[in-house]
Amino acid sequence: MPTSLSRRTVLRGLGTAIALPLFDAMQPNRLLAATGSPTAPPLRMGFFYVPNGMHMPDWTPSKEGRSYELTETLSRLSAHKDSFNVLTGLTLDGARAHGDGGGDHARSVAAFLTGAHPRKTNGADIQNGISVDQATAEAIGDQTRFSSLELGLEASSQAGNCDSGYSCAYASNMSWRGPTNPMAKENDPRAVFDRLFAGQTVQETRRAKSEREKHRKSILDFVQADAKRLHAHLPIVDRRKLDEYLYSIRDVEKRLDGAEKLGISEEGVPDYPRPLGVPRELSKHSELMMDMITLAYQTDSTRILSFMFTNAGSNRSYKEIDVNEGHHELSHHGKSAHKQAEIAKINRFHLERFEYLISRLKNIPEGNGTLLDHCMIVYGSGISDGDRHNHDDLPILLAGGGGGRIQTGRHIRYENGTPLCNLYLWMMHQMGVEAKQFGDSTGELNQLAS
């Protein structure tokens, strides 16, 4: 039995390289000579954006501290109350008009991770700022296979007029590599799966994909021999981890295959492939993408990612929850009780999708805790009340323990007007990035550690 296993060990096969989760065998000494403490798992960061603001009365708790009660919307996370903080009073000044008139939806996304005020244009002369995920990836992204992942449920656009004279590049991209370089997001779960488990060369990857499609094989079939060899040399606890991990990959593959088919009707009409492998139902689509995020974090393929539920100003209806009117139209509620109730239903639907991810991360052991314990995940919007289009007192929560750096289970109220970028600066420092300022930050956000 080996005394150690490299953190970068992968299972290999034709056109396939499956990264592994953190095993006990990857911490051979267990104790650091200097501190006597266990080797710490890596820290991850993530950013999740929902459009059109929030029905704030159903979001903001009335009390502060640990004794606060979950509101109607936040109650969707009731099983995880001890694993996140609600942060009230944070502000995104870059999303305000500053003399540019309409376009709050596009600005809210463009500024959400940058803190910058985007130039109003629907032409090629776009101008924004670098986003916190990309600034962090520049510093530490070389430690993983992918410096960052940009994901969502709708495709990105890089041109066109999407909001009162603002380019669609602003409305559909929240990750920016530089002032003129939006990072397009991937919305096809099968494409993400293929990226995570691709082989070492393009030629090998194509051969493997062709073989899998020809014989309907699982990606695991190509690494079976390597997996058996590794299994025989692992301690019993790690063997169980490996079995559970490989099972989860197989399960995701089956659901990806199911998402690509319409099924066989009672009349015996044969199924046929669906374009892109994107499920029709938003809930199924979202779950598959959350599975991809879990696998990416679990295998340390990346430590940085962003996710947009929909693009800015989305007018999608949500027939899955009996909301037949468009989201954006409903957000201009004019204090209509009916419209506000429908908005609250959409808010809860989004948070239930996020809860699925939190549950997945929380159920994966890692080090002395769980995968969620070693994450810092921001969830929220760059608009507060969709009818007012205000960008202060934002709906923001921070999930995960940050590797022991965050004291969770609280509602923390900051002075209204506190820059959201103060949170990002604090997160960057926890990730090991040396930065004196980010966006419009005025210093690190306090109270998170105590």
Side-chain angles (χ1 to χ4, degrees), residues 124-328:
D125 57 334
I126 56 174
Q127 184 80 23
N128 196 15
I130 187 172
S131 54
V132 59
D133 59 322
Q134 294 307 305
T136 305
E138 280 188 4
I140 67 165
D142 60 349
Q143 298 176 17
T144 54
R145 291 174 58 217
F146 304 105
S147 60
S148 65
L149 289 178
E150 296 74 45
L151 308 173
L153 300 182
E154 292 183 349
S156 292
S157 298
Q158 307 300 351
N161 182 358
C162 275
D163 185 12
S164 303
Y166 279 96
S167 171
C168 296
Y170 296 129
S172 62
N173 300 285
M174 70 172 181
S175 180
W176 290 70
R177 184 164 50 86
T180 61
N181 305 109
M183 301 285 287
K185 57 189 182 297
E186 177 60 70
N187 71 323
D188 183 353
R190 179 168 289 283
V192 181
F193 186 89
D194 289 342
R195 284 183 66 189
L196 291 176
F197 302 112
Q200 299 302 299
T201 69
V202 173
Q203 184 178 9
E204 287 179 341
T205 300
R206 288 173 177 169
R207 285 177 58 201
K209 186 175 182 180
S210 176
E211 284 291 307
R212 288 201 303 273
E213 291 175 349
K214 180 179 179 180
H215 300 291
R216 306 300 299 171
K217 286 186 176 182
S218 162
I219 196 168
L220 300 181
D221 293 329
F222 292 93
V223 298
Q224 191 174 47
D226 213 8
K228 285 183 177 179
R229 282 194 295 270
L230 177 63
H231 192 278
H233 294 288
L234 288 174
I236 189 168
V237 173
D238 285 343
R239 290 181 187 180
R240 291 177 184 147
K241 285 184 181 179
L242 178 61
D243 290 341
E244 292 171 0
Y245 171 60
L246 295 180
Y247 175 84
S248 70
I249 293 177
R250 180 86 71 176
D251 180 63
V252 168
E253 276 191 310
K254 289 178 180 178
R255 290 190 292 123
L256 283 170
D257 288 338
E260 289 187 328
K261 296 181 180 297
L262 297 179
I264 300 177
S265 68
E266 293 180 357
E267 293 76 22
V269 178
D271 60 2
Y272 61 92
R274 292 194 65 244
L276 298 178
V278 176
R280 289 179 173 179
E281 299 89 350
L282 193 64
S283 57
K284 291 183 179 179
H285 186 188
S286 173
E287 285 186 4
L288 283 171
M289 294 300 283
M290 298 306 174
D291 288 334
M292 298 302 105
I293 291 169
T294 302
L295 289 171
Y297 276 158
Q298 185 180 11
T299 58
D300 200 29
S301 294
T302 190
R303 298 172 188 172
I304 305 163
L305 61 85
S306 60
F307 184 91
M308 291 179 64
F309 280 87
T310 63
N311 294 336
S314 168
N315 204 37
R316 175 195 288 266
S317 61
Y318 290 78
K319 296 182 180 180
E320 289 183 62
I321 54 173
D322 298 322
V323 176
N324 297 315
E325 299 164 84
H327 188 187
H328 180 222

Side-chain angles (χ1 to χ4, degrees), residues 255 287 290-291 352-360:
R255 290 190 292 123
E287 285 186 4
M290 298 306 174
D291 288 334
E352 286 165 2
R353 312 279 73 76
F354 185 67
E355 190 278 335
Y356 177 85
L357 172 67
I358 297 303
S359 293
R360 288 292 314 273

Side-chain angles (χ1 to χ4, degrees), residues 413-440:
R413 186 181 296 276
Y414 296 96
E415 181 180 357
N416 195 21
T418 301
L420 177 61
C421 285
N422 285 8
L423 169 62
Y424 297 158
L425 183 64
W426 184 86
M427 293 175 68
M428 291 173 71
H429 289 166
Q430 310 316 303
M431 296 292 290
V433 181
E434 296 181 3
K436 294 182 179 179
Q437 187 178 12
F438 179 78
D440 65 346

